[in-house]
Structure formats: structure tokens, C-alpha cells
Amino acid sequence: MHLSRFSGYLFPFLGIIVPIVMWATRKDESESVDKNGKITLNWTISVFIYVIILVMLLVAAILVFGGSMAMSGLAYENGTFDGFVDESPFMVFRFLGTLGILITPLILLGVLGFIFTIIGAIKASNGEVWNYPLSIRFFKTK
């Protein structure tokens, strides 16, 4: 069930749909299947929430810094374009730095999701229950 999350790499949203279907159809078979399905769903929902928040912050940063960057680099005098202001490269660096600060957590979430999925699958194959770190517990597993 943990490894079914990798199906999302082939087709978008399969990494969400396949674990839900697997858990829903097999949760009554054993307690282990039910717990591991809940763990997988907790992580999937948590990542979805984290990504939505980061994307909203990214869009806000683009709107705020992108607009101010575009307008601050231009020099207008008496309503006509008069070239570029000297400090406009600094605005570009601030804008790129802000994007980097917001894109880095998205990349980290992807890497952690990959690692946590493998660890969860190994633990489940050994009969252990392992809750993913950083996962919000929507469904109780213990």
C-alpha cells in the first residue's frame, strides 16, 4: 500500500487514488492493512495541505515581489518611460531568493515523501507500524 504512492509518478493523482482504493477495499482483511492504509492516507492528506499552503505563499510572493520588482526597475518621468533604475538587479535577487525560500520546501516534501514511502513499506513488510514524521494524524493508527 505504501509503494502504491509511486503510481503518482506515472499518472497524476494515481498516487492518491490507488492507496485510497486499496485501503477501502482491504481494510477489513487485517488490522495491519487498516493501520498502514490510515498512515498512508494521513501522509497523503498532510502533503496535500502543505503543498496548498506553499503554493498560496508562492503566488502571493510572486504577486507582491513580482509586481514591485517590475515597477521599481522602471524609471518614469512626466509620464514617459525614462529607462531603468540602477537598483533593479537587487530586486531581481530578492525576488529569486524569495522564490528559492518557497520552492525549497516543495522539493523537500517530494524527497521526504519518496524516502518515507520506502521506509514505511519496509517497516510494513516487517510487520511494524510506522507513522510518517510531519504527518498530521487525521486517522488514529494506535
Side-chain angles (χ1 to χ4, degrees):
M1 193 170 310
H2 292 275
L3 295 177
S4 68
R5 289 191 29 81
F6 290 141
S7 62
Y9 293 124
L10 298 174
F11 296 102
F13 299 110
L14 273 184
I16 297 169
I17 296 168
V18 172
I20 290 173
V21 170
M22 287 178 71
W23 174 70
T25 58
R26 297 181 177 181
K27 66 182 176 182
D28 298 328
E29 290 179 11
S30 75
E31 187 177 334
S32 175
V33 170
D34 186 41
K35 284 183 181 180
N36 283 293
K38 288 177 181 178
I39 289 168
T40 304
L41 291 177
N42 284 338
W43 176 249
T44 302
I45 295 168
S46 298
V47 167
F48 181 75
I49 291 169
Y50 298 148
V51 167
I52 293 295
I53 291 169
L54 287 170
V55 166
M56 288 186 341
L57 289 172
L58 189 63
V59 168
I62 289 171
L63 291 175
V64 170
F65 286 110
S68 65
M69 182 181 73
M71 297 311 286
S72 69
L74 305 176
Y76 284 95
E77 192 167 322
N78 297 327
T80 60
F81 177 67
D82 195 31
F84 294 95
V85 178
D86 289 339
E87 70 180 21
S88 64
F90 297 111
M91 286 298 291
V92 170
F93 291 131
R94 277 195 280 175
F95 178 66
L96 293 176
T98 303
L99 289 181
I101 288 171
L102 294 172
I103 290 174
T104 301
L106 286 170
I107 294 169
L108 284 175
L109 272 176
V111 170
L112 288 176
F114 187 83
I115 293 169
F116 290 167
T117 299
I118 292 172
I119 293 172
I122 292 170
K123 298 274 188 180
S125 71
N126 293 332
E128 300 174 45
V129 175
W130 183 71
N131 286 305
Y132 294 14
L134 305 175
S135 178
I136 303 168
R137 305 280 167 24
F138 297 102
F139 303 103
K140 299 291 181 195
T141 56
K142 290 185 180 184

